[in-house]
Structure formats: C-alpha cells, structure tokens
Amino acid sequence: MDYFSLFQIPQKFHINKNLLEKKFYSLQKKYHPDIYKKKNHNKNDYPISSSKINKAYNILKDKFNRAKYLLKIYNGNKIKKKKILTQDSLNKQFKLYEIIEKFKKKKEDIKNIDIFIKKIKNKIRYYFFKINQEFKLKKICEAQETLYNLFFKKKILLILKEIKDDYVK
C-alpha cells in the first residue's frame, strides 16, 4: 500500500495538507498502540503500525520528500539513474559556488546575502510550481531533473543561511 492510499488522498504532488493532517490523526486514533491495546487486539494483529503512519505522514507533508516519493512510485520504486547534469547545469552550479565563496572571503554585507537568499527562494518556488506541472502531465524524466535542481537550490540556501548566521555573530 502506498502512502497516498494509506491516507486516502489523490496520488499527486499538490495535496490538501489539512486533509492529510486530519487523516493522520484519524489513523493514529485508530491504530496507535495505546488505543489499539485497549480494544483487546493482539499487538501482532496491527493492520497498520503507528510508525508506518508517522513515516508516511512525514514524507507526504514535506514537498521535497513527497516529490521524491512520487518519483519512486512512477519509476517502480527506483529513482532512475539518468544523466541529469547538462553542461549548462554544471556551469550554473559552479557560478553559484563561486558567489558563495565570494561571500565567505569578502565578508559581503548582509544586505547582499539577503538579496541572494531571496533569489534562491524564488527559484525554489518556481521549481515547485514546475514539478507540480510535470507530475500532472506525467513528465517523469523532467520532474526528476527538476527535483535534482530543487535539492541543489535547497543545499545552496542552507549554505547561504550559515554564512549569514556567521556574519551576525
């Protein structure tokens, strides 16, 4: 049983988080070990474990993990190893790393870092929009490439936040 089926929600990238949360609490009320034991059920008779419900909920509530999980479903539980990095992608990544190195060395003012963080956040929002469209259109290879870009931008964002935190100290 996939996690979408567990929560009885459509298998798509854009989900109703309120509905997911309601289904989560409903399942926990039904299958949590403390409650399930009170109903005189044998522990081995659990149709669904509470930990599986927690794991499924944590994956589906997070956009990054949900996209990764959807790719696994579409690719038969495997992320296909495909050449994702084009020369253009690599050049963009190197440029981002060069900018980060400048921020580290020059001790740029915090305003420039904030501007750059805002640009990265906007790019992440764009990629989430794009991956939603790709899943809708069943463009799985494109969605995989977009997910790769999302994870890369998320990594850059974390590095920038660390640099900013070091400036503030």
Side-chain angles (χ1 to χ4, degrees):
M1 170 188 303
D2 74 77
Y3 297 155
F4 291 96
S5 299
L6 176 64
F7 288 101
Q8 300 172 340
I9 59 174
Q11 196 178 75
K12 59 184 188 173
F13 178 72
H14 185 72
I15 62 170
N16 182 331
K17 282 194 170 185
N18 291 331
L19 178 62
L20 175 69
E21 189 173 323
K22 285 179 187 176
K23 298 276 187 175
F24 169 72
Y25 287 117
S26 173
L27 286 169
Q28 284 296 11
K29 283 179 186 176
K30 188 174 181 181
Y31 296 111
H32 192 276
D34 295 337
I35 296 168
Y36 204 72
K37 276 191 257 181
K38 287 179 185 176
K39 294 180 181 176
N40 295 323
H41 290 100
N42 184 343
K43 184 180 179 183
N44 296 329
D45 293 338
Y46 283 78
I48 305 167
S49 72
S50 185
S51 62
K52 183 175 182 174
I53 295 167
N54 286 334
K55 181 180 178 184
Y57 176 70
N58 286 323
I59 285 174
L60 294 181
K61 76 176 184 176
D62 178 77
K63 290 191 267 188
F64 288 97
N65 289 327
R66 186 171 55 249
K68 189 175 175 182
Y69 182 70
L70 270 171
L71 281 174
K72 280 185 174 183
I73 290 172
Y74 284 123
N75 288 326
N77 252 355
K78 293 179 183 175
I79 297 288
K80 289 186 179 175
K81 301 290 183 205
K82 162 190 163 324
K83 185 180 175 192
I84 293 176
L85 289 175
T86 62
Q87 190 61 46
D88 186 48
S89 313
L90 283 172
N91 289 340
K92 287 178 182 177
Q93 287 184 6
F94 286 130
K95 283 181 184 179
L96 285 173
Y97 279 122
E98 285 174 359
I99 292 169
I100 286 170
E101 286 306 311
K102 285 179 185 176
F103 283 142
K104 286 179 181 177
K105 288 178 185 174
K106 279 176 103 180
K107 297 292 181 194
E108 294 279 335
D109 65 318
I110 221 150
K111 186 178 177 183
N112 288 336
I113 293 176
D114 284 335
I115 291 168
F116 199 66
I117 286 173
K118 192 179 275 190
K119 286 180 183 178
I120 297 295
K121 285 180 176 180
N122 286 336
K123 196 68 169 174
I124 289 172
R125 276 192 289 281
Y126 165 73
Y127 282 137
F128 276 126
F129 171 79
K130 184 178 178 188
I131 203 167
N132 184 46
Q133 298 304 316
E134 290 164 346
F135 277 125
K136 278 183 184 179
L137 299 171
K138 306 275 192 251
K139 293 183 173 184
I140 305 310
C141 288
E142 291 86 346
Q144 186 170 333
E145 184 176 342
T146 301
L147 181 62
Y148 174 83
N149 286 317
L150 269 165
F151 277 110
F152 181 74
K153 293 292 192 262
K154 182 180 178 185
K155 180 181 174 181
I156 295 298
L157 185 62
L158 292 173
I159 293 169
L160 288 168
K161 286 180 178 180
E162 285 177 12
I163 292 169
K164 182 180 174 183
D165 288 346
D166 286 346
Y167 283 6
V168 174
K169 291 178 185 176

